[in-house]
Amino acid sequence: MPRSSTTAYLCRVRGSGDPPGRHLPPLHHPLVVGRPGGWEAPDAPDCFARYVTRAAAHLGDLIGWACTINEPNVVAVMGYFQGQYPPGVKDDFIRYAAVNESMVRAHRLAVDALRSGPGEFPVGLTLSMAEITADEGGEALRDAAEEMLENIFLRATGGDDFVGVQCYTRMHFGPDGLAGNDPGVAVTQMGDERWPRAVEHTVRRAAAVSGRPIVVTENGIATDDDAERISFLGEAIQSAHRCVVEGIDLRGYFVWSLLDNFEWHLGYGPKFGIVGWPPGPSSGGPSRAAYWLGEVARANALAIAPV
């Protein structure tokens, strides 16, 4: 799912000289995986593991926390089922499922590679998650979506040190597939439901399915309204705290993002940053939300009036 469902990937654009259907990998993938065949190549997980082994040999003693693959479920569903990212495959469940399995194996091999190199640090996986709900008649599709988008990867984290949950919103499934937003819920600049409670739902699910400690590695809102950002983040942190009170091993919470960023295929439009970028008379510099979040962190408490 993209960050309109959560996080997406930067992809090359096919040029006029590129043959149709040629695999064009996301730019941040190692080139060894981006050759013809991509994640569908039988040796892709092994190639990725060799890349991780070399990277860990050079950088392992500098690593604080390691994520093997950022949101592998996004790579699989957006590239091999929804067709929005390279290689642009649409509605091919068999290829989609095969890429899921390839990325699961790549993760397991990468964990071993990281742990065999220098340094000692937690190793895990970050996963794009949403509160996936069923409208009337959508229960079976909701369950199937949870299985293919999340559970396959959560079950693959046995022995990992953490699961990184990256969550932003709620999604609905009806009897015919993905359904629209609840008209009674406000939306963000991404067109998503404004749903900070997705944090506790996804943290609970990730912990229950994986049995691993959890870190919320991404959560935030696309808005240019500072008061709205403070309100959303406050509700999200309260949502995370309810998980802690329940006894879930939740190790931390990270806001997405420090800076306004190039939001992949949506460009600079959606504003996620607590620091405006590029700097300018109206948007540059730390926002009120940044100062507020700093006070929350220093106090380790939410009982602070917004600045």
Side-chain angles (χ1 to χ4, degrees):
M1 294 172 290
R3 193 168 289 114
S4 56
S5 326
T6 45
T7 301
Y9 282 78
L10 178 61
C11 300
R12 289 174 52 194
V13 176
R14 184 167 67 85
S16 58
D18 290 321
R22 177 183 174 189
H23 182 81
L24 297 175
L27 284 172
H28 68 279
H29 277 189
L31 293 177
V32 71
V33 177
R35 71 199 193 296
W39 286 106
E40 293 181 283
D43 63 342
D46 298 287
C47 291
F48 182 69
R50 290 199 297 272
Y51 165 81
V52 174
T53 298
R54 175 166 289 191
H58 286 280
L59 303 173
D61 56 349
L62 303 176
I63 295 174
W65 290 67
C67 161
T68 58
I69 308 173
N70 182 55
E71 299 184 341
N73 54 342
V74 171
V75 176
V77 73
M78 298 301 289
Y80 295 87
F81 195 75
Q82 293 188 356
Q84 290 183 267
Y85 296 137
V89 177
K90 191 172 180 63
D91 297 331
D92 192 324
F93 185 83
I94 293 175
R95 292 177 71 180
Y96 169 38
V99 170
N100 268 358
E101 293 300 327
S102 178
M103 301 198 82
V104 163
R105 183 164 182 266
H107 165 67
R108 294 293 353 137
L109 292 173
V111 170
D112 293 340
L114 286 163
R115 288 177 172 166
S116 65
E120 294 185 9
F121 44 83
V123 180
L125 179 75
T126 56
L127 197 64
S128 172
M129 298 184 69
E131 182 172 336
I132 304 176
T133 62
D135 296 342
E136 185 175 356
E139 291 79 8
L141 286 177
R142 184 268 321 277
D143 293 346
E146 286 184 341
E147 176 64 20
M148 293 300 294
L149 290 170
E150 299 178 351
N151 294 356
I152 286 174
F153 296 97
L154 291 171
R155 288 196 301 267
T157 60
D160 292 1
D161 299 302
F162 71 96
V163 171
V165 168
Q166 307 191 162
C167 57
Y168 294 86
T169 190
R170 180 175 66 168
M171 299 168 58
H172 301 264
F173 278 85
D176 299 318
L178 192 62
N181 293 339
D182 182 337
V185 176
V187 297
T188 73
Q189 289 177 331
M190 300 290 288
D192 297 333
E193 288 187 357
R194 181 198 179 281
W195 201 253
R197 286 174 285 174
V199 171
E200 59 188 297
H201 179 93
T202 53
V203 167
R204 289 187 187 112
R205 283 206 72 247
V209 177
S210 71
R212 300 291 89 204
I214 307 298
V215 179
V216 177
T217 42
E218 285 187 19
N219 177 251
I221 181 173
T223 180
D224 54 11
D225 184 329
D226 229 21
E228 173 68 6
R229 192 181 314 282
I230 292 171
S231 174
F232 181 95
L233 294 178
E235 291 177 62
I237 294 170
Q238 287 178 315
S239 181
H241 184 256
R242 287 192 285 271
C243 294
V244 174
V245 171
E246 291 171 17
I248 294 173
D249 189 357
L250 177 57
R251 302 287 177 90
Y253 171 91
F254 290 85
V255 170
W256 183 271
S257 176
L258 172 63
L259 300 176
D260 285 334
N261 61 294
F262 189 87
E263 185 55 35
W264 312 120
H265 60 299
L266 298 175
Y268 287 109
K271 302 296 184 183
F272 280 95
I274 59 173
V275 177
W277 185 264
S282 60
S283 62
S287 65
R288 289 192 303 122
Y291 289 109
W292 172 82
L293 189 63
E295 289 299 319
V296 170
R298 280 187 287 271
N300 194 31
L302 269 176
I304 299 172
V307 296

